[in-house]
Amino acid sequence: MDRFTRDGLVFDVRDGGPPDGEPVVLLHGFPQDSTAWDGVSPGLHAAGLRTLAPDQRGYSPGARPPGRSAYRVRAAVDDVRALLDAAGVAGAHVVGHDWGGLVAWALAAWHPDRVRTLTVLSVPHPGAFARALFTSPQALQSWYMAAFQLPVLPERLLLARGGLLLHGTLVRSGLPAEHADRYVARLREPGALSAALAWYRALPWDAGDPVGRVRVPTLHVWSTRDVALHRAGIEASGSFVRAPYTLEVLEGLPHWIPERAPERTADLVAGHVRDTR
């Protein structure tokens, strides 16, 4: 399977590993795409796991609906459910990074019957994030979320001179240049960056749709040089999980865990799957 559809949208998906292996869904964030998991997937395949890595809405060329409200987390969660249905699996081990992590938190809370285990990289539970905005420097670290609410201007600035500002910002934050090259090239496609930023612009709708408690085994991974997400929200996330919960802290790594530590990520996910069978 290299595509699936939902409500007239066509999503690209990388389906790899043994077809009869336990399925692992890999959800990317901003401004990534499914290639963020290219270094992680081989380790999961070697562990006997099947991987399903979609390009999420806004990133798949055939799934860029207009309007901010089309990018609510609830819609992205339903996309993952449609992926599982298309793959013919009742449930999967779900792994998410950045925005993909938020989708993973929500999927596990709202549809625990579809999630065997949860692994979240970098992002706190939304309830813990909200708490951290008032109890830590998280609000200052999230300044860009407010800036992205502006119409048109972020697109013009980030894509000026072939995406020079966006590329430079990503590399300075610790993303390898070859990944930045690929992500910026995709976001230069017509309408792609606006669709990706619409995830941020849909936040007013998401605020009225709380995620709630998670009741599936959860592995939480955070890196100490993450400039976007403060440790306070990470450490508070365990209080929103009513199931076995493990926090793994990776020292000296930036926000881009799948790209910078793919083998370690694969080992952690495979171990989490193995330990909770």
Side-chain angles (χ1 to χ4, degrees):
M1 178 182 62
D2 57 5
R3 287 185 177 87
F4 71 98
T5 62
R6 185 174 91 82
D7 292 344
L9 303 178
V10 180
F11 295 83
D12 299 325
V13 56
R14 294 166 179 257
D15 185 348
D20 60 348
E22 291 188 60
V24 179
V25 173
L26 303 170
L27 302 172
H28 69 83
F30 175 88
Q32 300 156 306
D33 55 35
S34 59
T35 63
W37 305 103
D38 281 359
V40 178
S41 295
L44 299 179
H45 299 162
L49 301 170
R50 176 188 181 187
T51 58
L52 297 165
D55 289 329
Q56 297 208 75
R57 59 176 50 220
Y59 297 87
S60 287
R64 290 174 182 158
R68 299 183 180 193
S69 63
Y71 294 87
R72 295 179 61 176
V73 169
R74 182 75 66 170
V77 165
D78 288 343
D79 294 339
V80 181
R81 294 169 64 205
L83 167 61
L84 296 177
D85 292 342
V89 297
H93 305 278
V94 178
V95 183
H97 175 249
D98 193 77
W99 270 104
L102 179 53
V103 175
W105 280 118
L107 178 67
W110 294 337
H111 303 284
D113 57 310
R114 308 304 301 265
V115 181
R116 298 179 184 175
T117 66
L118 173 66
T119 301
V120 179
L121 311 181
S122 302
V123 296
H125 183 283
F129 181 81
R131 184 184 299 171
L133 288 173
F134 299 98
T135 61
S136 76
Q138 182 61 68
L140 292 175
Q141 290 177 249
S142 299
W143 65 269
Y144 60 93
M145 291 185 175
F148 286 166
Q149 300 302 313
L150 297 172
V152 181
L153 183 60
E155 287 92 329
R156 290 183 177 176
L157 291 176
L158 292 173
L159 293 182
R161 299 175 63 187
L164 183 64
L165 176 59
L166 177 58
H167 188 280
T169 300
L170 295 173
V171 171
R172 286 191 296 274
S173 70
L175 182 67
E178 62 269 24
H179 291 277
D181 292 343
R182 188 160 58 246
Y183 301 157
V184 171
R186 172 168 295 221
L187 293 180
R188 291 181 65 196
E189 296 172 4
L193 181 56
S194 292
L197 292 178
W199 287 66
Y200 293 93
R201 292 166 177 166
L203 283 171
W205 284 272
D206 288 328
D209 196 7
V211 168
R213 310 286 178 177
V214 169
R215 291 176 171 81
V216 301
T218 299
L219 170 65
H220 200 183
V221 184
W222 179 74
S223 44
T224 58
R225 290 182 56 210
D226 192 322
V227 298
L229 294 159
H230 194 269
R231 188 170 191 142
I234 302 299
E235 293 182 341
S237 294
S239 63
F240 291 88
V241 180
R242 295 292 182 265
Y245 172 86
T246 301
L247 173 61
E248 184 79 21
V249 176
L250 304 182
E251 297 289 340
L253 283 174
H255 176 74
W256 311 101
I257 295 173
E259 295 93 344
R260 289 291 300 270
E263 294 87 359
R264 179 62 175 149
T265 301
D267 288 345
L268 287 169
V269 172
H272 184 42
V273 169
R274 182 180 60 249
D275 292 345
T276 54
R277 277 177 178 145

